[in-house]
Amino acid sequence: MTVAKGQAGAFVDARRLRSEDYVTETLHQTTGMLGIASRPKVVDFTERAKERKRASARVIAVHVLAALAGIAVLAGLTWLLFFSTVFRLETGAISVTGANEWVSAQTIHAIADKQAGKSLFLVSTNDVANQLKDIPGVSEAKVSRRFPKAMSVEITAQKPAAMLKSGDTLTAVDAEARVLNSVSSKDVDGIPVIEVKDVETSLKNRSVKEALTILGALPESMRQQISKVTAETQDSVTTTLDGGERVIVWGDSSQLKLKMAVVDKIINDPNVIGERHQVDVSAPLKPIIK
């Protein structure tokens, strides 16, 4: 086949025209590595599009299955940790230590047992401990999980700071002027007594509150010696020891640690206290001995 190539409208010399054999050219283009003619590759775009769609569908299916598997695992783990019986706290698995006659184990259980039936992972030990500290007489509370399904409660229960006596009635109160459990009279030996007209009113009285703060901080050895407590004003709290052998004027509850140190130094040194009976530490840096 002869093909004429040139500019439009130009003179063409047929003798110089180049001949192209399209059959030979096609065979040349389709010849394989061994010189054998191979069939030209025919691209079917419709089939290629279908293949792409099928590949995309497989990828999407794999992703969906992986997501569903992840959700199933997460749901199973959530059920195991929070809703199954594996970690469920039972009432019988809640132990309480540190209770005494003034802060009963029953009172502690009334708060701690509310957590029964929950997963141990859902129990807030801090919340439980804070609720326990609100109980009169509880100065410290520690709550711990015991996996897989138990909880321990350890409290520090104080004796009353004093007994408020109104007529023939004795009411135990702690250093924060909170009423403790009522117990039999034989259990009040060695606990300071403050005589008041009305218990409920006295618990709001500033002078009584100051006296309770002081009494609650005193060492047990001194508390055992107290035979009388007076608090006419908030600045005149006084304790009488051993029936009048020693009288300590504390004033208020400020600088209490310093006041106790001064009192201890004075009354336990015969060369200082001598034959005198009263020690006034309302101004601890200038104690007065009478």
Side-chain angles (χ1 to χ4, degrees), residues 14-285:
R15 292 173 300 176
R16 295 187 179 186
L17 291 178
R18 181 171 58 87
S19 297
E20 293 187 10
D21 189 343
Y22 279 94
V23 174
T24 303
E25 182 67 19
T26 300
L27 291 174
H28 174 72
Q29 293 178 359
T30 57
T31 300
M33 296 181 59
L34 299 179
I36 302 173
S38 61
R39 182 179 179 180
K41 183 177 180 180
V42 178
V43 178
D44 189 338
F45 291 100
T46 302
E47 186 61 28
R48 289 294 299 275
K50 290 180 180 180
E51 289 180 3
R52 291 194 190 96
K53 289 182 180 180
R54 287 194 292 268
S56 298
R58 286 194 296 269
V59 172
I60 293 173
V62 170
H63 288 172
V64 170
L65 289 175
L68 291 175
I71 292 173
V73 171
L74 181 60
L77 185 61
T78 300
W79 177 84
L80 175 66
L81 297 180
F82 303 114
F83 301 104
S84 72
T85 59
V86 176
F87 300 102
R88 183 179 297 169
L89 177 64
E90 303 294 341
T91 303
I94 300 175
S95 62
V96 173
T97 58
N100 61 15
E101 66 270 29
W102 303 101
V103 183
S104 67
Q106 183 179 1
T107 303
I108 303 301
H109 271 294
I111 292 177
D113 289 356
K114 292 179 181 179
Q115 303 301 317
K118 295 181 180 180
S119 166
L120 211 56
F121 291 99
L122 296 177
V123 174
S124 174
T125 55
N126 287 334
D127 288 346
V128 176
N130 289 334
Q131 292 180 53
L132 293 173
K133 289 177 184 178
D134 288 336
I135 298 176
V138 175
S139 58
E140 186 177 355
K142 181 180 179 181
V143 182
S144 304
R145 300 183 184 90
R146 293 288 182 264
F147 286 96
K149 53 171 65 177
M151 183 174 74
S152 66
V153 178
E154 301 175 31
I155 68 165
T156 300
Q158 303 294 336
K159 290 184 176 181
M163 303 295 295
L164 299 184
K165 183 178 181 180
S166 178
D168 295 329
T169 303
L170 289 173
T171 303
V173 293
D174 67 4
E176 298 179 28
R178 300 179 299 180
V179 177
L180 279 65
N181 291 335
S182 297
V183 298
S184 60
S185 58
K186 68 178 180 180
D187 295 318
V188 302
D189 293 339
I191 299 175
V193 176
I194 304 176
E195 295 190 5
V196 296
K197 293 181 179 180
D198 179 76
V199 172
E200 187 175 350
T201 301
S202 66
L203 291 175
K204 301 176 183 178
N205 187 287
R206 181 65 183 274
S207 60
V208 173
K209 288 184 176 181
E210 288 290 308
L212 292 174
T213 301
I214 293 172
L215 294 173
L218 296 180
E220 190 62 27
S221 58
M222 182 176 289
R223 285 167 51 82
Q224 292 286 338
Q225 301 177 55
I226 296 176
S227 54
K228 183 180 179 181
V229 181
T230 59
E232 296 180 0
T233 68
Q234 66 186 46
D235 300 316
S236 62
V237 178
T238 302
T239 58
T240 301
L241 312 181
D242 300 325
E245 182 65 24
R246 295 282 184 269
V247 177
I248 312 298
V249 181
W250 300 94
D252 59 20
S253 61
S254 63
Q255 297 180 286
L256 192 52
K257 289 185 177 181
L258 176 59
K259 291 178 179 180
M260 288 191 293
V262 172
V263 168
D264 182 69
K265 177 67 176 178
I266 292 175
I267 65 176
N268 291 307
D269 189 342
N271 295 325
V272 176
I273 189 67
E275 298 297 324
R276 291 164 290 188
H277 300 281
Q278 179 175 306
V279 179
D280 187 339
V281 289
S282 53
L285 296 179

